[in-house]
Amino acid sequence: MAEPKIKYDRQLRIWGEQGQAALEKASICLLNCGPTGSETLKNLVLGGIGSITVIDGSRVEASDLGNNFMVDDSSIGQSKAKCVCAFLQELNDAVKAKFVEESPDALIETNPSFFSQFTLVIATQLVETSMLKLDRICRRANIMLIFARSYGLTGLVRLSLKEHNVIESKPDHFLDDLRLNHPWPELKRFAETIDLNVTDPVVHKHIPYVVILVKMAEEWASKHDGCLPSTREEKKEFKDLLKARMIAFDEDNYKEAIEAAFKVSTPRGFSSNLRQIIDDSAAEVDSTSSDFWVMVAALKEFIANEGEGEPPLDGSIPDMTSLTEYYVNLQKIYQAKAEADFLAIEQRVRKILKRIGREPDAISKKIIKNFCKNARKLTVCRYRLIEDEFNSPILPELQKYLTDEDYSIAVGFYILLRAADRFATNYNRFPGMFDGEIDEEISRLKTIAVGILSDLGCNGSTLTEDLINEMCRFGAAELHAVAAFIGGIASQEAIKLITKQFVPMSGTFIFNGIDHKSQLLFL
Amino acid sequence: MVDAEADISDRWRDLDKLLSRPGNLVGQTFDPSPDLKNDLRQYVKVLVVGAGGLGCELLKDLALSGFQNLEVIDMDRIEVTNLNRQFLFRLQDVGKPKAEVAAKRVMERISGVNIVPHFGRIQDKDLAFYNEFNIIALGLDSIEARSYINDVACSFLEYDSEDNPCEETIKPMVDGGTEGFKGHARVILPGVTPCFECTIWLFPPQTKFPLCTLAETPRTAAHCIEYAHLIKWDEVHGGNAFDADNPDHMQWIYTEAVKRAELFGIPGVTYTLTQGVVKNIIPAIASTNAIISAACALEALKIATGCSKMLSNYLSYNGVEGLHTKVTEFVRDKDCPVCGPGVLIELDTSITLQKFMELLGEHPKLLLSKSSISYQGENLYMQAPPVLEEMTRSNLTLPLFNLMGKVPKGVVNVSGMARKDDKKISCTRKLRVLFKGIDGVTDMDMASGA
Ligand SMILES: [Zn+2]
C-alpha cells in the first residue's frame, strides 16, 4: 500500500476511496482563524482536504497565545492568517494552504465574487450583519456554507445551502429488505427446493432463517385466507409454530428465525421519508434538474410500475446460520433480483435523460447502481436562509423551546447571541468585554434580548437573569475547549457535506457548555 | 523559559473572564478571583492516560485551558496510520514513543506548560504514582485499560463510618471514547457518580464467530479471514506465534483467506478487510476525537475550578445521521466491587497471609490470583519485582491479623489477576477485612468513656 493510503486507513474505513477523493478535490475558505476556525481546519487538513484559504486581517496578540494552538510566542505581531496557515501546512504537506491578510467583514462587503471559487466556506466568529450578507452571497453562488461560533461557554453551528442530497446516508440501523412476506418467483422456487422436515440433523440446523420464514409465512397464509400474522396473538402463534419445528435446543437458525419473525409482518412499501422525496416537486424533472433528481424520477416510475409498490432491492443479506452452499445460493438470488431492478431503473434513467434533452449516457452505470442500492435510504436536506429564520422563525417551535425546560438554556443562548451582536453594533464592544460597568451592561443586554423576543411576538420574561448575567460574564471570550468542540462539529459537518455521505445536521446547533444539554433548534 | 509568560500578561485574557467573574450557573465551590487561575496553574496536576487520538487533543486542550502541570503515559510508538488524527505527530516521528513526542510538541508551542511523559505500561506504575494527580483524564480505546485505571482511582477512595465517601479521597476522572462518528465523554467522581465498573454493561463483550462456523460453514469474507487467522495459522506454523504487526504474517493470512473464499464461492476478501478483522481495527477520525476531548477538558477545568456546573454525568455524541448529543445521568451500583466501600471478608485471626490469598482466588466476587497485598501503604506481599518478593515472602506464613497490627477491622488493597469471560485481566480491589471474635465496638466504647 502506498503511504497516503496507509496514513488515511482509519478514515478510509468510514468514507471509502470515493469519499476521500471528494475531500482531496475540495477547496475550503476559512473566515477568521481564531481557535474556532483554526481547530476546524486542523481536523480537515489532517484528513487530507484538497486546499485551504485562510482569511484573517488581524495580527497575533498575547491573548491569542492563551487559546490558539496554531500560534506561538514568536508569532506576536505577525499576520495571524500567515502563522495559522504555516502551522496547518506542517500537519499535512499534501494540502495546498494559502492565506489572505484581509478582514473577512471587509471582504464580504467589497468582493462578494471572491467566494465563488470555493467548494465550501467556513465562517467563524462573524457577527449577525456579516453573517446575513455572506449567507446571501453564498446562496446565490451555490456555495456550501457553515457558520461556527464560540462565545464563552456557548456557541453555535449552522449549515446553510439550498439543498443537499445524500445517496449514501449509511444509517447505523436499518431494517434489511428481505421480502419475506412477498417473495419473488426465484426466491420462492429456491425455498421450495429445501425440505424443512429433512432428517439429517446437521442440515436441519443449517437451513437459513430466510428460507424457514418464507416457507412458514406461505404455510400460514394458505391457512389464513392469504393473510399474514398481524395481531399480537397471531404473531405469538407464528413464533410458537417456529419453535415447534425445532428438533434440538441448539438450533441457532430457528432462534434467528424467531427473532426475525416480525419481518414477516412488516408492511410492504417504504418509508414516509422516501414517499416525501418521490412526491417532491423537484422529481418532475427538466433539463436543469440534477442527476439526483433525474434518478429519483426514474425511481418514482419504477415504484409505480415494475417495482409493484417497492423500491429496487438492495441485494445484500445479513449473515445467518446456514450451510455455505445455501447461503451462497441465497446471496446470488438476492443479487440477481437487485441486478434486474437496477437494469429496469437504468433504462428509465436513460429514457428520462433523453426526454429532457440530455445525453442518455450522462449518468454512469456505477452511479445508478449505487443509487439503487441505497434507494430506501435517500435523504434530502434543505436549509432556510438565515435572514428568513431570523425575521420569521417558526413561531410554534420557538414558543415550545421557550417554555420547555430542556431547551430553555439553549434557546436563551440563541437569543442572547443575537442580542450580543446588536449590543456590539450599538456600543462598539461585546457585553462584558472589558472589566467594570458589568451591571449596566447586563441590563442593556437584557433590554435588547427582550426586544428581539417581543419583536417576534414572544414573551421576553422567559429569559432568566442568571443566563443574561452569564452571557456578560463570558465577555465574548473564545475559550479553547469550547472552540475545539465547536470546531470539531463544524469540521465533521464539512466532511459530510463534501463526501455526500452520512446525513448532515439540520437546524441550528446551540452549544451549552454549562451542563452539556446542547440542542438543535429548528426555526 | 521560566517566565516568558510575565511579559505576555494578557495571554489568559479569555480564560480570566471565566475564572475571575461571579456567576449563578456555576459549581458549588466556585470562588472567582484572579488567584483562581494561579492556583490552577500552580497546584493542580493532571495525568493524561493515552497519547493517541484523544490523548493528543487532551494535552493541547488542557494546556490551553490553563493547566500547567501535566503528565502523560502511553506504551505505544507512533505509526503511519495515526497521522490522520494524532496531530502532534509527523511522518518523521514514526517509531518514536507517543508520550514523549506528544509532550515535547505541546511544550514547544505553549510556553510555561510542563508535561512529563511516561513511555510504558499503565500497570507498571505503582499506586503512589497515580495518587499524585488531582485529576486523571482518560483517552483510551480499550476496555481493559479503562477498567484498570478506574480500579486504581477508586482504590484511593475511603468511606467514613457511615459509609459516606470521604471527599478528600475522591480521585476525579474524565473519560472519553470514540468510534467513527460516535463518541462519549463522562465524568467519574468515585463514590459520587457511577464508576466505569458500575456501568460496565455499556460495553458489552464483542461477539466472536463460533469455531465450527469458521471450520465448516463459512459464509462471509470475515469467516474466511478468521479461519486463516485462528485455525490455519496454528496448523501450519505450530509454535511460531502470529504477529499482527508483521506484514509477512498478515500477507499469509490474506492469501489463505482468499484461497478459502474461492473454495466456497464467497466474495469480498480484501487486504484492508483482512487487517480490519484480524487487528479488530476501530475506524477513527480527527473531528470526533476533537469533540470528545474538548468536552473532557472542559469538564476537567470545571472540576478544578468550579467555574461552571458539571456534566452529570455521561454525554453521548452521534454524528452519523444529523447531529445528536444526549446527557444521561447514570446511577451508581451500590454493590459495586470497585467504587463501593469494598468487599467485606470475615476472617479468623489465625488465617495466614498465604491462606488469605488462597481465599481471594475462591471468593466468587473476586476470583483473584497472583495477588499482591498492601495495608495502609505498606507492602505485605508483592509478586514482583523479585527483590520485593523476596523481602515480603516471609510474611506469607504469618497471620494477617498480626500483619495488620491486630486491629479488629481494616481495608487492604489487593492487585492481581481476575478471571473475566475466560480472560485474565489485571485489576486492583479494595477489601474490608473483619476479624471474627474481636469486638471493635468495645474498643470504641472504651475510648468514649475515657
Ligand atoms: Zn463502581
Side-chain angles (χ1 to χ4, degrees):
Chain A
M1 268 193 287
E3 180 249 304
K5 216 175 149 184
I6 302 174
K7 182 161 91 177
Y8 298 136
D9 179 83
R10 296 300 185 271
Q11 65 196 47
L12 287 169
R13 288 172 195 274
I14 298 178
W15 51 69
E17 284 177 35
Q18 278 199 349
Q20 188 62 32
L23 287 175
E24 287 170 18
K25 267 209 320 244
S27 59
I28 309 280
C29 172
L30 173 73
L31 301 186
N32 287 321
C33 61
T36 309
S38 300
E39 291 294 318
T40 308
L41 275 197
K42 180 201 79 194
N43 301 329
L44 294 171
V45 166
L46 287 166
I49 200 83
S51 75
I52 55 165
T53 304
V54 180
I55 318 281
D56 195 312
S58 63
R59 302 205 156 252
V60 178
E61 296 172 25
S63 59
D64 295 313
L65 303 180
N67 66 10
N68 195 341
F69 194 75
M70 313 294 155
V71 298
D72 65 14
D73 293 12
S74 69
S75 316
I76 294 272
Q78 296 188 52
S79 153
K80 204 193 284 182
K82 182 180 157 206
C83 295
V84 167
C85 191
F87 183 80
L88 289 170
Q89 183 72 78
E90 215 183 283
L91 294 179
N92 192 344
D93 55 19
V95 174
K96 290 190 213 69
K98 279 189 298 191
F99 68 94
V100 177
E101 251 189 278
E102 193 175 344
S103 140
D105 294 330
L107 195 62
I108 291 166
E109 202 61 56
T110 59
N111 193 2
S113 63
F114 174 82
F115 300 100
S116 308
Q117 57 184 303
F118 301 103
T119 313
L120 169 71
V121 176
I122 300 172
T124 68
Q125 308 301 88
L126 285 193
V127 293
E128 183 169 325
T129 43
S130 294
M131 198 165 150
L132 297 184
K133 277 180 204 153
L134 181 65
D135 193 30
R136 279 194 300 265
I137 292 167
C138 290
R139 189 61 67 102
R140 215 176 303 130
N142 209 12
I143 303 295
M144 300 190 283
L145 179 58
I146 298 177
F147 290 105
R149 187 162 188 194
S150 311
Y151 195 107
L153 291 174
T154 186
L156 63 78
V157 180
R158 166 71 147 85
L159 314 191
S160 187
L161 59 158
K162 188 162 167 265
E163 185 183 296
H164 180 72
N165 307 315
V166 191
I167 294 173
E168 294 176 83
S169 61
K170 299 186 172 178
D172 269 339
H173 304 285
F174 204 82
L175 191 60
D176 35 32
D177 185 8
L178 295 174
R179 311 273 166 105
L180 300 176
N181 47 15
H182 53 118
W184 64 98
E186 288 80 6
L187 179 58
K188 231 185 208 166
R189 228 172 290 141
F190 177 69
E192 278 159 14
T193 64
I194 296 173
D195 180 9
L196 292 187
N197 298 317
V198 60
T199 49
D200 182 343
V202 174
V203 178
H204 194 273
K205 69 189 250 189
H206 284 97
I207 298 172
Y209 83 74
V210 165
V211 171
I212 296 172
L213 288 178
V214 165
K215 291 180 83 99
M216 294 292 285
E218 199 181 3
E219 195 184 306
W220 175 282
S222 70
K223 289 179 188 159
H224 294 82
D225 298 327
C227 297
L228 287 164
S230 63
T231 65
R232 246 180 114 99
E233 292 76 35
E234 284 174 339
K235 286 177 189 172
K236 187 174 176 304
E237 195 186 330
F238 184 67
K239 280 188 188 177
D240 289 340
L241 284 175
L242 288 167
K243 234 175 266 174
R245 287 275 181 170
M246 292 171 83
I247 57 168
F249 71 92
D250 66 341
E251 293 192 306
D252 288 335
N253 57 337
Y254 274 91
K255 288 180 197 161
E256 289 166 6
I258 292 163
E259 215 166 281
F262 74 95
K263 292 179 188 171
V264 165
S265 311
T266 45
R268 297 172 57 163
F270 47 91
S271 70
S272 58
N273 185 28
L274 183 57
R275 163 63 61 196
Q276 232 173 25
I277 293 173
I278 62 172
D279 288 347
D280 197 293
S281 61
E284 284 149 33
V285 291
D286 58 33
S287 60
T288 62
S289 299
S290 69
D291 290 357
F292 176 84
W293 286 109
V294 169
M295 290 189 285
V296 170
L299 172 65
K300 186 175 186 172
E301 289 180 11
F302 175 89
I303 291 171
N305 295 285
E306 60 272 38
E308 296 174 21
E310 299 272 3
L313 192 75
D314 82 32
S316 61
I317 56 172
D319 184 28
M320 61 192 83
T321 301
S322 167
L323 293 179
T324 303
E325 184 199 337
Y326 287 165
Y327 186 79
V328 170
N329 282 334
L330 211 48
Q331 251 180 342
K332 284 182 184 153
I333 288 163
Y334 275 86
Q335 275 162 8
K337 164 77 172 149
E339 179 72 13
D341 286 356
F342 152 69
L343 288 173
I345 295 233
E346 188 195 11
Q347 218 170 23
R348 292 194 176 276
V349 169
R350 309 266 173 247
K351 265 192 201 145
I352 292 169
L353 283 169
K354 204 168 162 190
R355 193 180 76 219
I356 61 176
R358 291 179 61 189
E359 215 27 65
D361 290 332
I363 306 177
S364 77
K365 254 185 190 316
K366 200 173 149 194
I367 290 172
I368 300 169
K369 202 163 220 168
N370 197 29
F371 179 87
C372 291
K373 200 163 169 39
N374 292 286
R376 283 179 191 269
K377 305 169 188 165
L378 301 177
T379 307
V380 173
C381 307
R382 294 193 171 107
Y383 300 87
R384 293 185 83 184
L385 262 180
I386 297 188
E387 192 169 20
D388 294 344
E389 175 181 321
F390 281 1
N391 290 339
S392 53
I394 302 165
L395 269 182
E397 287 295 304
L398 183 57
Q399 302 278 16
K400 189 187 89 189
Y401 296 144
L402 286 166
T403 51
D404 184 335
E405 205 188 316
D406 288 342
Y407 283 87
S408 63
I409 290 189
V411 72
F413 278 139
Y414 175 83
I415 298 296
L416 287 169
L417 280 165
R418 293 188 59 191
D421 283 348
R422 292 205 187 168
F423 186 108
T425 310
N426 293 349
Y427 303 104
N428 226 1
R429 64 172 184 278
F430 287 102
M433 204 163 176
F434 305 104
D435 290 329
E437 293 177 41
I438 293 248
D439 288 341
E440 201 189 331
E441 305 212 327
I442 290 174
S443 78
R444 281 176 176 165
L445 182 65
K446 183 179 178 175
T447 308
I448 296 173
V450 170
I452 291 174
L453 275 173
S454 57
D455 285 350
L456 294 171
C458 293
N459 187 344
S461 66
T462 49
L463 282 177
T464 66
E465 293 287 337
D466 286 349
L467 205 64
I468 299 166
N469 180 35
E470 194 71 1
M471 199 69 181
C472 288
R473 176 164 88 108
F474 297 161
E478 206 174 344
L479 303 166
H480 183 80
V482 173
F485 192 100
I486 297 288
I489 287 182
S491 59
Q492 189 154 111
E493 295 306 318
I495 287 166
K496 291 192 269 182
L497 287 178
I498 294 165
T499 59
K500 290 185 174 281
Q501 294 179 27
F502 304 94
V503 182
M505 60 174 270
S506 307
T508 303
F509 175 77
I510 299 289
F511 177 65
N512 168 356
I514 297 173
D515 57 13
H516 282 284
K517 288 178 184 161
S518 304
Q519 295 290 358
L520 283 167
L521 306 181
F522 299 91
L523 293 169
Chain B
M1 176 87 193
V2 179
D3 229 344
E5 245 182 309
D7 308 326
I8 314 171
S9 59
D10 216 17
R11 176 188 289 260
W12 299 108
R13 183 192 71 192
D14 288 34
L15 183 66
D16 282 340
K17 289 186 179 129
L18 199 68
L19 299 186
S20 62
R21 296 172 171 186
N24 295 322
L25 303 172
V26 295
Q28 283 169 355
T29 58
F30 187 47
D31 183 13
S33 89
D35 296 336
L36 185 53
K37 184 197 66 208
N38 296 333
D39 290 348
L40 173 72
R41 297 188 67 69
Q42 209 170 341
Y43 301 117
V44 180
K45 226 170 125 176
V46 181
L47 174 67
V48 175
V49 185
L54 291 164
C56 285
E57 289 281 338
L58 280 167
L59 286 171
K60 164 189 65 90
D61 293 346
L62 291 168
L64 286 175
S65 297
F67 292 92
Q68 183 171 256
N69 302 303
L70 302 170
E71 302 199 9
V72 57
I73 180 165
D74 196 310
M75 64 182 285
D76 287 339
R77 291 174 183 275
I78 297 160
E79 295 177 29
V80 178
T81 54
N82 302 147
L83 301 178
N84 79 320
R85 61 199 185 282
Q86 298 174 18
F87 72 101
L88 296 173
F89 310 142
R90 312 280 174 265
L91 195 56
Q92 61 269 24
D93 299 324
V94 168
K96 294 181 194 161
K98 284 186 179 181
E100 288 170 12
V101 177
K104 180 172 149 265
R105 285 278 142 73
V106 175
M107 284 195 291
E108 275 167 9
R109 294 206 66 82
I110 305 171
S111 63
V113 70
N114 184 37
I115 306 177
V116 181
H118 301 273
F119 172 45
R121 284 158 33 94
I122 50 174
Q123 293 87 348
D124 292 344
K125 295 283 180 191
D126 56 17
L127 289 177
F129 168 79
Y130 291 104
N131 208 8
E132 285 285 290
F133 300 98
N134 305 87
I135 300 171
I136 302 178
L138 284 72
L140 294 163
D141 58 6
S142 102
I143 295 169
E144 285 80 12
R146 268 200 196 91
S147 220
Y148 184 80
I149 298 288
N150 182 67
D151 283 1
V152 169
C154 292
S155 74
F156 301 121
L157 181 65
E158 287 170 20
Y159 285 82
D160 63 17
S161 53
E162 262 114 58
D163 273 358
N164 293 312
C166 307
E167 205 164 324
E168 65 282 5
T169 65
I170 295 174
K171 183 78 64 191
M173 283 177 279
V174 290
D175 169 51
T178 72
E179 177 175 353
F181 284 143
K182 289 179 281 188
H184 78 263
R186 67 190 296 185
V187 175
I188 299 177
L189 305 172
V192 182
T193 69
C195 81
F196 185 69
E197 192 67 30
C198 290
T199 54
I200 192 74
W201 49 269
L202 286 167
F203 300 86
Q206 285 224 315
T207 47
K208 288 184 208 126
F209 303 123
L211 281 181
C212 60
T213 296
L214 303 184
E216 285 152 28
T217 55
R219 301 172 299 271
T220 65
H223 291 156
C224 299
I225 293 163
E226 282 296 58
Y227 170 79
H229 172 215
L230 299 174
I231 297 174
K232 189 83 188 208
W233 176 272
D234 283 342
E235 269 177 28
V236 175
H237 295 88
N240 189 7
F242 174 74
D243 174 9
D245 292 323
N246 182 327
D248 294 335
H249 289 194
M250 194 59 85
Q251 183 64 41
W252 189 89
I253 299 288
Y254 167 64
T255 313
E256 285 302 312
V258 167
K259 275 192 222 159
R260 186 155 178 88
E262 276 168 6
L263 184 67
F264 284 92
I266 297 167
V269 175
T270 62
Y271 190 75
T272 305
L273 183 69
T274 305
Q275 280 187 310
V277 170
V278 172
K279 294 173 126 179
N280 189 21
I281 292 174
I282 299 163
I285 51 175
S287 52
T288 316
N289 283 332
I291 294 163
I292 295 303
S293 303
C296 289
L298 187 57
E299 291 312 303
L301 179 64
K302 293 182 197 173
I303 291 170
T305 65
C307 67
S308 191
K309 289 184 174 179
M310 215 180 284
L311 165 65
S312 180
N313 43 41
Y314 190 104
L315 169 71
S316 51
Y317 169 85
N318 189 337
V320 176
E321 282 175 89
L323 170 61
H324 300 275
T325 63
K326 186 168 181 278
V327 174
T328 312
E329 192 163 353
F330 286 117
V331 289
R332 280 187 66 210
D333 172 3
K334 292 286 172 235
D335 295 324
C336 178
V338 177
C339 70
V343 175
L344 186 71
I345 297 187
E346 267 196 294
L347 295 175
D348 285 323
T349 51
S350 61
I351 296 283
T352 61
L353 185 57
Q354 175 93 56
K355 179 69 189 162
F356 175 64
M357 285 165 59
E358 282 163 30
L359 290 175
L360 299 181
E362 292 155 14
H363 194 292
K365 272 192 184 167
L366 300 168
L367 299 172
L368 280 172
S369 57
K370 292 220 167 72
S371 301
S372 296
I373 300 184
S374 65
Y375 172 63
Q376 293 190 334
E378 195 185 326
N379 295 324
L380 300 185
Y381 181 72
M382 296 295 284
Q383 299 275 352
V387 195
L388 269 181
E389 197 278 334
E390 213 182 306
M391 277 170 60
T392 53
R393 198 185 301 155
S394 58
N395 284 344
L396 288 173
T397 53
L398 298 177
L400 182 62
F401 183 59
N402 294 16
L403 289 169
M404 288 170 67
K406 302 195 176 179
V407 292
K409 60 178 179 186
V411 174
V412 296
N413 289 301
V414 180
S415 59
M417 305 299 287
R419 266 207 315 270
K420 198 173 186 183
D421 311 322
D422 299 333
K423 266 198 299 191
K424 290 212 164 180
I425 54 164
S426 44
C427 68
T428 71
R429 291 284 179 268
K430 202 166 42 190
L431 307 176
R432 285 190 296 171
V433 175
L434 188 70
F435 291 104
K436 288 182 205 165
I438 303 293
D439 201 346
V441 182
T442 321
D443 286 341
M444 273 170 64
D445 283 347
M446 277 164 63
S448 62

